[in-house]
């Protein structure tokens, strides 16, 4: 009887140890924010899950502003922003870590003959000073301005670089990068902007000042319409063990090839 009790105790201890080990390798990592970062975060999340069995990685594509708010409110581990944090956001207790850099491509319909625009001309188009494609070498047609919603990191980056904050005369303000691409692909007179990593062959990226948006031109700075991809965390609140492990992986040199494959330029 004593021998049986001893065996039962040993079995219980073994199960306890196994449960403890499982707990260490299981868990969840929740991210929320920029739709422009979908390809990059998707690639990183998939690789992270493959290397860490038992850990579930989730990404909620809500937009940069919503992702920042989600971190502030404790609704996710890591926020995703395709713009730098503002000073008031930093002072409220948030920290930014630059994961990568991304070009913002200025896109037109493939049937549009216009192939190059400089930043000044782009600004004049978006502020309504130029309203017809014929004035920039295109057809005699009204320019249809497509952009992102207020709070979008892509919009913030585009307007900051083109110096058009609060002055753009949008026909449509859409809530995701994919929606902008779809809208431009369906309208031969439309112009929009989207993350370089997300551009599909249903639209065409124009050169800006003669420079095409590519990984190399973003990296060397010659393509001027670019912005950071940022991981947002609470300054004074440590991440959970799985979230910290993902964070460390994402900013490590080991992740650079994955980020590059997703169309962005790794910061490390």
């Amino acid at each position: 009887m004593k021998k049986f009790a001893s065996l039962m105790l040993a079995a219980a201890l073994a199960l306890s140890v196994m449960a403890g080990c499982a707990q260490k390798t299981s868990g969840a990592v929740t991210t929320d924010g920029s739709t422009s970062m979908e390809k990059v975060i998707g690639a990183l999340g998939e690789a992270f899950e493959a290397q860490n069995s038992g850990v579930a990685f989730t990404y909620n594509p809500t937009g940069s502003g919503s992702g920042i708010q989600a971190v502030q409110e404790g609704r996710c581990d890591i926020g995703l922003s395709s713009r730098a944090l503002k000073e008031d956001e930093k002072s409220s207790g948030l920290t930014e870590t630059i994961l990568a850099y991304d070009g913002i491509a200025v896109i037109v319909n493939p049937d549009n003959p216009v192939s190059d625009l400089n930043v000044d001309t782009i600004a004049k188009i978006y502020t309504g000073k130029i309203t017809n494609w014929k004035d920039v070498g295109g057809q005699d047609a009204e320019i249809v301005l497509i952009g992102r919603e207020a709070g979008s990191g892509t919009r913030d980056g585009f307007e900051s670089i083109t110096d058009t904050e609060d002055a753009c005369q949008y026909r449509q303000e859409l809530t995701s990068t994919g929606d902008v691409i779809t809208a431009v692909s369906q309208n031969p007179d439309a112009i929009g902007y989207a993350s370089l990593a997300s551009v599909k062959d249903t639209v065409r990226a124009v050169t800006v000042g003669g420079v095409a948006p590519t990984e190399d031109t973003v990296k060397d700075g010659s393509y001027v319409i670019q912005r950071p991809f940022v991981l947002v965390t609470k300054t004074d609140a440590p991440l959970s063990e799985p979230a910290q492990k993902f964070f460390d992986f994402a900013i490590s040199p080991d992740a650079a090839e994955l980020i590059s494959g997703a169309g962005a330029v790794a910061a490390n």
Side-chain angles (χ1 to χ4, degrees):
M1 190 71 177
K2 288 183 179 179
K3 185 176 181 181
F4 177 77
S6 298
L7 288 171
M8 290 296 291
L9 178 59
L13 288 171
L15 287 171
S16 175
V17 170
M18 289 172 66
C21 291
Q23 190 172 10
K24 288 180 181 179
T25 58
S26 64
V29 181
T30 57
T31 64
D32 189 306
S34 171
T35 63
S36 297
M37 293 174 68
E38 181 174 5
K39 283 191 175 181
V40 169
I41 291 301
L44 293 176
E46 184 177 347
F48 181 74
E49 281 190 326
Q51 295 171 16
N52 296 272
S53 60
V55 178
F57 179 89
T58 59
Y59 159 62
N60 191 20
T62 59
S64 297
S66 295
I68 292 167
Q69 186 176 0
V71 176
Q72 288 175 321
E73 296 175 356
R75 292 185 283 109
C76 72
D77 296 310
I78 300 169
L80 309 172
S81 176
S82 49
R83 64 166 174 81
L85 288 182
K86 299 174 182 177
E87 287 306 314
D88 63 320
E89 291 167 339
K90 292 179 181 178
S91 63
S92 72
L94 297 179
T95 295
E96 68 172 40
T97 302
I98 296 177
L99 172 68
Y101 294 94
D102 176 57
I104 301 176
V106 178
I107 56 174
V108 296
N109 187 280
D111 293 334
N112 191 325
V114 174
S115 60
D116 181 73
L117 297 166
N118 60 38
V119 172
D120 183 60
T121 300
I122 292 168
K124 287 178 178 177
I125 287 172
Y126 267 89
T127 55
K129 294 175 182 176
I130 296 175
T131 59
N132 195 298
W133 282 112
K134 68 180 181 180
D135 296 327
V136 290
Q139 304 291 338
D140 183 5
E142 181 186 358
I143 300 173
V144 177
L145 301 177
I146 309 295
R148 289 292 304 279
E149 82 287 4
S152 158
T154 310
R155 172 170 167 166
D156 183 87
F158 173 81
E159 292 185 356
S160 296
I161 294 163
T162 58
D163 196 23
T164 57
E165 296 98 328
D166 303 319
C168 291
Q169 306 294 309
Y170 296 112
R171 175 78 64 85
Q172 289 181 277
E173 298 178 45
L174 303 175
T175 57
S176 77
T177 294
D179 288 342
V180 172
I181 292 171
T182 298
V184 174
S185 72
Q186 295 174 348
N187 190 332
D189 301 325
I191 186 171
Y193 50 80
S195 167
L196 173 60
S198 301
V199 172
K200 303 175 182 178
D201 57 9
T202 54
V203 294
R204 179 168 52 79
V206 301
T207 55
V208 176
V211 180
T214 67
E215 182 179 339
D216 288 340
T217 60
V218 170
K219 193 170 187 176
D220 66 22
S222 59
Y223 185 77
V224 296
I225 306 181
Q226 60 171 279
R227 43 66 190 279
F229 278 169
V230 173
L231 302 180
V232 184
T233 53
K234 283 190 174 181
T235 304
D236 297 324
L239 291 169
S240 68
E241 183 179 344
Q244 185 64 57
K245 195 169 185 180
F246 171 77
F247 183 94
D248 293 341
F249 164 70
I251 63 173
S252 72
D254 294 337
E257 188 173 340
L258 292 169
I259 293 170
S260 176
V265 178
N268 295 313

